[in-house]
Amino acid sequence: MAPVASQSKPLSQRGQQADDRGGGTAAPRGRRSLDFRFKCRNSHMAQLSNPQARLRILVTGWEGGGNVPPFIAALRGLVARGHDVRLIADDSMKAEAIAAGARFQPWTRAPNRPDRSPASCFVRDRDIADPIAAFRQWTDRIFVGPAQDYALDILDALALKPADLMIGSDLLFGGMLAAEVSRVPLVLLAANISLSPLPGHPPFGPGFQPAGNAAERARDAEVAAAGEALWNQALPTLNAARAHFGLAPLARVLDQTASAGRCLLATSRSFDFPVVQMPDHVRYVGPLLEEPSWVAASGHRAIGDGTRPRALVSFSTTHQGQDEVLRRIVAAFGQLPVSAVVTLGKALEQLAIEAPDNVGIFGSASHEAILPSVQVVVTHGGHGTVLRALRHGVPLVVMPMGRDQNDNAARVEYHRVGIRLDPTASPSEIARAVQDVLADASFAEQARRMAGLLAAEDSSVDRLLTEIEAFAAGHRAETLERAA
């Protein structure tokens, strides 16, 4: 995406329908009064008085492709820990949520994708050449524009069954708004790197390296200000939603994140840029690399006889206009003594590409099964693909196409675990980049070093659960102390 984030203050400095396994009747629609807040608070206090009780957790999600597997992994872990977990999200996530052991409720007012087909996507990046225009559409259609509808759906879910804790996306401002209205403690889960740059980091979006001089720091400040202005174009809409619930207006869109007590980053500290000092409310929990259900069952796809290097090509589960890029990549491998597996994903599984004999093209395949036998990954730079490759010690050629991909590519370059290449590169340029990664042993050495660092970190799911439970316990203690 375009540069969209800005520095925000640490929290320490900042001020329906029955679910599929439940039953009951939806709460009335419309404005929520203070009575609703007191009802939620009384139920919450009753639960707090029993510190051994399992948590009642409401998770809010949305269908954005790569952001889904980390949330499903979180659901699975929370259920296994014995907590009572509900997910309110797009219908496209229903089967995976139920398989993870959670209950499921669909969005009714808020945007709801029925499936993962390209036609159901609310923003079609492939049709938008300007990344700033694409970000505006995402903001208007998902992140901020429908905040009131998201909040109303969540408040209905809380009226139907109260929760002790909410876990929400760092991009769904309607979830943050609902947490503020209901006063239910909120943990934000970022599916990849931090949207708001951590101290010492460049602004999100362009894929800059950390600033090394005054000119680069000035560049970062200018881009951060532009990102802030982009977010604040949605401020009238957000403040109108806040007024609907009787809340005071905000000066900045990103001030709404103050309703969260924690922000958990589902990436690795080892992969990220060095941090000068972590904000009190932000924690790394590590990458949550659960494979999508439609991939895990597809099995191992192999090509070649093992006498020459192997490559994996993966370009997103959502449509970003990568058709022509993939065709150029396939043509590039036609020039190389390398065997390649290309996985198309849900968005492009019907795409027809003429391939040479050394390239196999599949709608889906398990990357976990393929990666142990490959020497290079060519990708758009989605966080899950990049971290999965590095977990297996495989270097990359990254051709970012927007969203968080420029910033992931910048980290690949920073750690020297691969090469960043423009997505407009010709087949010959792509072939040369692949050859460079295979020929220069330092890329593989650095990728194996990164794999060792990732392996040394504790289980990401365990760290996620520990952080969530510790936050809930701290909130419980503070609430009981205030009530005493």
Side-chain angles (χ1 to χ4, degrees):
M1 285 185 185
V4 295
S6 173
Q7 299 282 3
S8 57
K9 296 180 181 178
L11 294 188
S12 59
Q13 300 175 15
R14 298 186 290 199
Q16 183 81 352
Q17 164 177 332
D19 67 47
D20 280 355
R21 292 168 50 192
T25 305
R29 301 186 179 192
R31 286 180 70 104
R32 291 302 188 272
S33 66
L34 288 176
D35 290 341
F36 177 84
R37 296 187 186 183
F38 290 136
K39 177 181 177 181
C40 288
R41 182 178 184 277
N42 290 339
S43 173
H44 186 50
M45 289 298 296
Q47 187 77 357
L48 289 173
S49 65
N50 182 3
Q52 301 303 316
R54 64 178 181 167
L55 292 170
R56 301 168 299 178
I57 301 174
L58 178 64
V59 182
T60 63
W62 64 285
E63 178 59 64
N67 70 316
V68 173
F71 274 78
I72 300 301
L75 294 178
R76 195 181 309 281
L78 290 165
V79 169
R81 199 86 132 198
H83 298 300
D84 178 8
V85 184
R86 284 180 293 163
L87 173 69
I88 180 168
D90 297 44
D91 277 305
S92 58
M93 298 172 64
K94 176 179 177 179
E96 289 163 299
I98 292 174
R103 284 178 307 217
F104 178 83
Q105 288 179 241
W107 300 118
T108 55
R109 302 175 185 82
N112 183 342
R113 287 185 66 181
D115 54 45
R116 294 189 171 107
S117 67
S120 73
C121 189
F122 294 108
V123 178
R124 300 186 180 186
D125 302 65
R126 63 189 182 276
D127 298 329
I128 310 171
D130 179 5
I132 292 177
F135 172 72
R136 286 172 177 161
Q137 283 201 17
W138 280 109
T139 303
D140 292 343
R141 298 181 184 183
I142 299 293
F143 303 156
V144 183
Q148 182 172 312
D149 288 338
Y150 277 116
L152 287 169
D153 281 351
I154 293 167
L155 294 174
D156 276 356
L158 291 171
L160 183 65
K161 183 175 181 179
D164 307 302
L165 181 71
M166 280 178 54
I167 300 174
S169 166
D170 62 332
L171 286 168
L172 277 191
F173 283 74
M176 304 175 209
L177 178 59
E180 182 177 356
V181 173
S182 64
R183 298 183 182 176
V184 174
L186 172 65
V187 172
L188 294 179
L189 176 59
N192 39 48
I193 62 173
S194 178
L195 182 68
S196 294
L198 300 174
H201 285 197
F204 183 97
F208 293 152
Q209 297 289 332
N213 54 50
E216 290 174 347
R217 285 188 288 274
R219 170 208 67 188
D220 287 357
E222 182 179 354
V223 172
E228 176 91 5
L230 277 175
W231 276 115
N232 286 338
Q233 287 181 2
L235 187 60
T237 301
L238 180 59
N239 279 336
R242 292 178 60 83
H244 177 86
F245 298 109
L247 299 175
L250 298 175
R252 307 162 58 243
V253 164
L254 293 178
D255 285 343
Q256 185 62 67
T257 62
S259 55
R262 283 286 184 277
C263 181
L264 305 181
L265 305 179
T267 192
S268 167
R269 182 189 291 269
S270 301
F271 173 69
D272 210 351
F273 294 137
V275 181
V276 175
Q277 182 177 359
M278 286 291 285
D280 290 343
H281 67 295
V282 180
R283 307 281 193 278
Y284 287 105
V285 296
L288 300 170
L289 299 179
E290 175 159 315
E291 286 197 303
S293 58
W294 50 271
V295 164
S298 62
H300 181 193
R301 308 286 188 177
I303 190 169
D305 56 10
T307 61
R308 54 187 179 179
R310 289 175 172 168
L312 170 65
V313 179
S314 174
F315 265 71
S316 185
T317 56
T318 58
H319 205 314
Q320 291 184 261
Q322 62 267 59
D323 315 43
E324 290 307 314
V325 181
L326 282 171
R327 288 192 172 92
R328 281 184 269 116
I329 291 169
V330 169
F333 277 103
Q335 305 173 17
L336 296 170
V338 176
S339 300
V341 171
V342 179
T343 60
L344 299 176
K346 279 293 183 183
L348 296 175
E349 59 187 356
Q350 303 303 319
L351 180 66
I353 301 179
E354 186 175 343
D357 291 342
N358 64 323
V359 178
I361 299 178
F362 305 97
S364 63
S366 170
H367 292 178
E368 279 296 316
I370 294 172
L371 281 165
S373 64
V374 307
Q375 286 72 52
V376 62
V377 170
V378 182
T379 177
H380 64 308
H383 182 265
T385 302
V386 169
L387 268 292
R388 195 181 299 279
L390 293 177
R391 191 170 68 176
H392 286 271
V394 181
L396 305 109
V397 174
V398 184
M399 303 175 68
M401 301 187 68
R403 304 181 184 175
D404 63 327
Q405 297 152 25
N406 287 314
D407 298 291
N408 295 329
R411 286 154 176 80
V412 166
E413 284 189 314
Y414 180 85
H415 293 292
R416 298 205 76 251
V417 293
I419 291 173
R420 171 165 39 178
L421 194 63
D422 193 279
T424 63
S426 68
S428 295
E429 290 170 325
I430 297 167
R432 190 177 309 117
V434 171
Q435 285 178 314
D436 288 346
V437 169
L438 291 173
D440 186 342
S442 68
F443 288 116
E445 290 170 3
Q446 290 300 316
R448 287 192 294 269
R449 174 183 171 275
M450 181 63 69
L453 294 172
L454 294 173
E457 296 177 353
D458 294 334
S459 161
S460 299
V461 173
D462 287 346
R463 281 189 285 164
L464 173 77
L465 300 179
T466 298
E467 287 290 349
I468 290 171
E469 290 169 342
F471 171 71
H475 175 78
R476 177 190 295 119
E478 290 174 4
T479 304
L480 290 174
E481 182 178 348
R482 286 196 301 267

